[in-house]
Amino acid sequence: MNQLLFTIALLLFINIGQAQDFLYKKDGTTISCKIREVKVDVIRFKRTDIRHSPVFEEKKEDIYKIQYKSGVIDIIDPVYKVKMDTIGGKISSGEIEMVYVEGGTFIMGCTIEQSDCDNDEKPQHQVTLNSFYIGKYEVTQEQWKEVMGHNPSWFKNCESCPVESVTWNEIQKFIQKLNAKTGKNYRLPTEAEWEYAARGGKHSQGFKYSGDSRIDIIAWYDENSSSKTHSVGQKSPNELGIFDMTGNVWELCSDIYGSYNSGSQMNPQGSMKGSKHVYRGGSWYNLKSQCHVSNRSDGNTFYYLNSDHGFRLASDVANK
């Protein structure tokens, strides 16, 4: 790992002022990297979602990231084809990191392990979903600034923290501009997509929260958050490798808030009328009893601003 850091640093100094591709080899395995900008800092951080990597077999959790104002160098695992260094994704590189969620059928709402259910989580009902993609992380302040040119968040000076204090209309403008910038078709997840992904999709282990039944391992909430948001991706991910679906900030869904019914549904889109949209996941402000994976909240998102409300993105498989 020190050799990797030295190699990157040396190349940066040699090639200052110009973009540069280079290769790093370890035990016969090659990692391809690209320098897209000049001004860099070297930051060491922990990641816990990298498992069975043949590249960093000796230290699976310790990797290096090259960070600069408008993007990152991609360090790619050539076997598993995953970016191993990006926190939150970088819009300037044309991408937001997404996780593939294979479609399937699940029971949505107040299942037995949830236990702290409110009435609006009932009745439990069967839902079938097509496959889709969902953001690996909540949308960050840096990503919002890159597209919108300003940072509306209450908790500033933390660009890797989730953006918050944004309305429905502002989020729609962000998505439109992001899609124009990237040529992709991002959108908000439906409430059913959100819950299915939070539960771990087809890999679900039936946890109370998203990724574990021990909330401190996977979430920032009122007992450990110090009354603020935190950088995305710092806690453990869920079964699909998605971060912060419990805690940090509530996440806006595309659905208008409404009551459940007991009938089986296919790709539900939520209520057809109403003035409030659904938020899911709980936040840095909430008690753990408000953070279980089936819990629901609502807000008049057309003018509603709150420092514990943000969002993550989704996309259809055909439009990724």
Side-chain angles (χ1 to χ4, degrees):
M1 188 56 62
N2 289 335
Q3 182 183 355
L4 170 60
L5 181 60
F6 174 77
T7 302
I8 292 174
L10 181 62
L11 283 164
L12 289 173
F13 280 111
I14 291 175
N15 295 290
I16 195 77
Q18 56 182 301
Q20 177 71 37
D21 294 336
F22 64 96
L23 300 178
Y24 169 71
K25 293 186 177 182
K26 175 179 172 59
D27 300 330
T29 303
T30 301
I31 307 172
S32 177
C33 302
K34 180 186 288 289
I35 301 174
R36 286 191 287 265
E37 298 285 331
V38 173
K39 185 174 181 180
V40 300
D41 297 303
V42 178
I43 299 175
R44 188 169 185 264
F45 68 101
K46 299 277 281 184
R47 280 282 294 274
T48 58
D49 63 326
I50 303 302
R51 297 182 174 89
H52 312 302
S53 169
V55 180
F56 297 108
E57 187 173 352
E58 296 174 356
K59 294 183 178 180
K60 293 186 178 67
E61 293 183 353
D62 293 331
I63 60 178
Y64 286 90
K65 171 189 174 187
I66 305 300
Q67 184 181 28
Y68 46 86
K69 285 187 175 181
S70 60
V72 296
I73 294 175
D74 299 333
I75 301 179
I76 307 295
D77 181 326
V79 175
Y80 293 97
K81 306 298 183 184
V82 294
K83 289 186 179 181
M84 301 197 341
D85 65 333
T86 306
I87 293 182
K90 301 292 176 181
I91 288 168
S92 57
S93 66
E95 293 184 17
I96 287 181
E97 283 194 82
M98 306 292 280
V99 172
Y100 175 71
V101 184
E102 183 182 359
T105 299
F106 76 111
I107 302 300
M108 184 173 178
C110 185
T111 48
I112 190 169
E113 81 285 345
Q114 298 300 290
S115 72
D116 294 320
C117 298
D118 295 322
N119 287 334
D120 67 351
E121 299 167 49
K122 304 172 185 177
Q124 63 174 238
H125 51 288
Q126 181 176 288
V127 171
T128 301
L129 294 172
N130 295 336
S131 300
F132 61 97
Y133 288 90
I134 196 165
K136 192 171 187 176
Y137 310 96
E138 295 159 331
V139 172
T140 66
Q141 295 178 27
E142 181 178 13
Q143 290 172 332
W144 183 277
K145 267 178 58 177
E146 184 74 22
V147 172
M148 303 297 283
H150 70 285
N151 184 3
S153 302
W154 176 262
F155 297 107
K156 290 183 169 62
N157 302 316
C158 180
E159 291 197 332
S160 59
C161 287
V163 67
E164 23 84 6
S165 303
V166 287
T167 66
W168 170 271
N169 288 337
E170 289 171 332
I171 291 170
Q172 298 310 307
K173 289 178 182 178
F174 169 85
I175 292 172
Q176 290 172 7
K177 289 187 175 183
L178 174 60
N179 288 343
K181 182 181 180 71
T182 62
K184 300 190 177 182
N185 290 282
Y186 296 112
R187 57 174 174 81
L188 290 174
T190 67
E191 183 178 18
E193 288 174 335
W194 189 98
E195 185 169 321
Y196 182 61
R199 287 177 178 268
K202 285 193 170 182
H203 301 281
S204 176
Q205 298 182 40
F207 294 128
K208 181 171 184 175
Y209 309 106
S210 182
D212 209 290
S213 292
R214 300 165 293 176
I215 191 170
D216 288 277
I217 292 174
I218 47 86
W220 299 109
Y221 68 114
D222 79 319
E223 292 184 18
N224 66 6
S225 68
S226 300
S227 299
K228 63 180 181 179
T229 59
H230 292 262
S231 295
V232 300
Q234 300 303 298
K235 293 289 186 175
S236 294
N238 75 355
E239 298 95 319
L240 292 173
I242 309 170
F243 292 84
D244 299 303
M245 293 200 84
T246 298
N248 217 4
V249 291
W250 287 98
E251 298 179 12
L252 180 64
C253 297
S254 61
D255 302 50
I256 293 174
Y257 178 84
S259 299
Y260 287 161
N261 63 65
S262 59
S264 298
Q265 300 175 50
M266 178 75 179
N267 297 316
Q269 302 295 309
S271 175
M272 300 306 294
K273 59 181 180 180
S275 61
K276 298 180 179 181
H277 283 87
V278 178
Y279 285 97
R280 300 298 297 266
S283 76
W284 60 265
Y285 178 80
N286 292 104
L287 302 171
K288 62 183 178 181
S289 62
Q290 299 169 303
C291 292
H292 57 280
V293 77
S294 65
N295 190 40
R296 310 172 74 205
S297 182
D298 64 302
N300 192 324
T301 54
F302 296 103
Y303 60 84
Y304 189 62
L305 297 173
N306 204 307
S307 63
D308 64 346
H309 286 65
F311 67 105
R312 78 176 65 227
L313 296 173
S315 67
D316 298 324
V317 170
N319 296 323
K320 171 68 165 53

